[in-house]
Amino acid sequence: MLKISWAPSYVLPLPPNHRFPMSKYEILPQQLLYEGTITSANLFEPAPLQEEVIVRTHQVDYWQRLNNLELTPKEIRRTGFPLTSELVNREITIAKGTIDCALFAKQFGVAMNIAGGTHHAFTNRGEGFCLLNDIAIASNYLLDHQLAKKILVVDLDVHQGNGTAEIFRNDQRVFTFSMHGANNYPLHKETSDLDIGLPDFTNDTFYLKTLDTNLKNLLEAVEPDFIFFQSGVDILDTDKLGKLSVTSEGCKQRDKIVLTSAKKNKIPLVASMGGGYSPNFRDIIEAHANTYRVAQEIFF
Ligand SMILES: [Zn+2]
């Protein structure tokens, strides 16, 4: 069964006119239920996350100041969200969702988080709507509990997975692969184990070929026993922050390539949702929904 992490706290009330499309975390599960891609049995609510698991990935000082709502105004500005206890609770719940998904993926082959992919969170700071790095936290959890030996992070959000790259810079057990827009935020890129910076207006053909070739090579060279997939849909041609020209169908093909590779090679996979900023909200929901539709089609 496709297990999907979701909790009411994923939907954080934001000030009016805030540029983050928070309502997608409410609409997406509704859409998937409505169209019959999932039933309520697919959804599960993650339990709270213990502090010791967080500080395995994030610096104690950063976590404590975040948890006590004591980040500096500058640090808060960089995250893009007002700092509230609801926000902290949201981030903890999402990170726990990715851990729980990882355990379900070991059982069912795949599991997905309706949020997460918070790849701009570093060991000691947050930025770009990311405060805690769910994929990094879940990776460390798997490694610490001997549930994985070699993890591949496939980060296909249009923005580089800079936080994840920094966190695992000196950890050979996690291979970070980021394919992103070369001219997109972040201006200063960190060094992943493999970075592919795509030129502006990259189209479906070039995008999918580049992904397919590199993913095949990585599966052979890295031999991962677990995959985290950051499935951001800000690669779409309609996206207002992305600069690529990938169509909705191209984005769906991308998901198929990643999920098929995992299934074929019998490597458990967790997808975290990542970004999506198309002005037409339906484009965002449709592209995210495709990731879940493709997972049901391929795995179940
Ligand atoms: Zn993004």
Side-chain angles (χ1 to χ4, degrees):
M1 172 183 263
L2 178 61
K3 296 303 276 184
I4 299 170
S5 173
W6 186 82
S9 61
Y10 279 22
V11 190
L12 179 77
L14 287 173
N17 303 321
H18 194 282
R19 65 202 171 104
F20 189 79
M22 186 60 78
S23 53
K24 76 178 184 180
Y25 301 103
E26 191 172 13
I27 306 293
L28 179 63
Q30 284 175 14
Q31 170 63 31
L32 294 171
L33 288 165
Y34 172 78
E35 70 186 29
T37 297
I38 64 168
T39 69
S40 54
N42 293 100
L43 296 167
F44 74 91
E45 201 171 317
L49 178 60
Q50 301 90 336
E51 202 157 44
E52 64 260 28
V53 179
I54 299 169
V55 299
R56 191 50 200 80
T57 295
H58 293 281
Q59 280 183 9
V60 177
D61 170 70
Y62 168 64
W63 160 244
Q64 283 175 348
R65 291 189 303 112
L66 173 64
N67 196 30
N68 297 333
L69 311 181
E70 286 168 352
L71 296 184
T72 66
K74 195 177 163 196
E75 285 176 306
I76 295 172
R77 246 191 335 269
R78 286 188 82 155
T79 72
F81 287 139
L83 181 56
T84 60
S85 52
E86 289 79 14
L87 174 67
V88 177
N89 180 51
R90 174 180 191 266
E91 299 291 307
I92 299 171
T93 312
I94 290 171
K96 183 57 164 40
T98 301
I99 292 179
D100 291 348
C101 278
L103 303 177
F104 279 125
K106 298 273 292 179
Q107 195 181 342
F108 298 111
V110 67
M112 304 169 90
N113 196 345
I114 299 217
T118 40
H119 59 168
H120 302 309
F122 291 68
T123 44
N124 62 353
R125 65 185 167 91
E127 62 177 51
F129 308 129
C130 303
L131 290 101
L132 298 174
N133 193 315
D134 66 310
I135 289 177
I137 289 173
S139 294
N140 278 324
Y141 184 90
L142 289 180
L143 293 167
D144 288 349
H145 293 81
Q146 285 81 45
L147 296 168
K149 285 195 180 73
K150 185 84 189 188
I151 294 171
L152 173 64
V153 178
V154 178
D155 189 330
L156 300 183
D157 193 277
V158 84
H159 304 104
Q160 195 213 21
N162 55 352
T164 320
E166 182 261 348
I167 290 169
F168 293 118
R169 195 170 40 200
N170 298 316
D171 193 335
Q172 303 290 316
R173 300 170 302 168
V174 181
F175 189 101
T176 52
F177 166 41
S178 179
M179 191 162 102
H180 48 262
N183 298 318
N184 267 110
Y185 167 93
L187 199 61
H188 167 74
K189 310 275 193 293
E190 296 291 322
T191 306
S192 311
D193 293 302
L194 177 62
D195 283 301
I196 297 180
L198 297 167
D200 293 356
F201 308 113
T202 292
N203 63 17
D204 287 2
T205 314
F206 185 79
Y207 185 94
L208 296 171
K209 193 172 173 338
T210 308
L211 171 63
D212 197 36
T213 308
N214 281 282
L215 192 56
K216 274 201 183 95
N217 291 344
L218 282 178
L219 291 177
E220 272 184 29
V222 177
E223 295 189 275
D225 56 8
F226 205 95
I227 296 175
F228 285 98
F229 173 29
Q230 210 279 19
S231 61
V233 301
D234 39 17
I235 60 166
L236 289 182
D237 47 5
T238 52
D239 198 88
K240 61 178 184 238
L241 302 184
K243 298 173 195 288
L244 306 186
S245 300
V246 177
T247 66
S248 181
E249 183 53 35
C251 191
K252 189 176 181 182
Q253 291 304 322
R254 171 198 75 170
D255 296 342
K256 276 192 180 164
I257 289 174
V258 178
L259 294 172
T260 307
S261 304
K263 165 100 177 167
K264 213 170 65 192
N265 293 282
K266 299 190 174 59
I267 308 167
L269 177 145
V270 169
S272 290
M273 224 164 72
Y277 310 94
S278 294
N280 187 344
F281 192 66
R282 290 170 67 151
D283 294 336
I284 304 177
I285 295 299
E286 180 64 12
H288 280 310
N290 277 336
T291 315
Y292 295 80
R293 294 168 186 150
V294 165
Q296 286 285 37
E297 196 182 299
I298 291 175
F299 281 87
F300 301 102

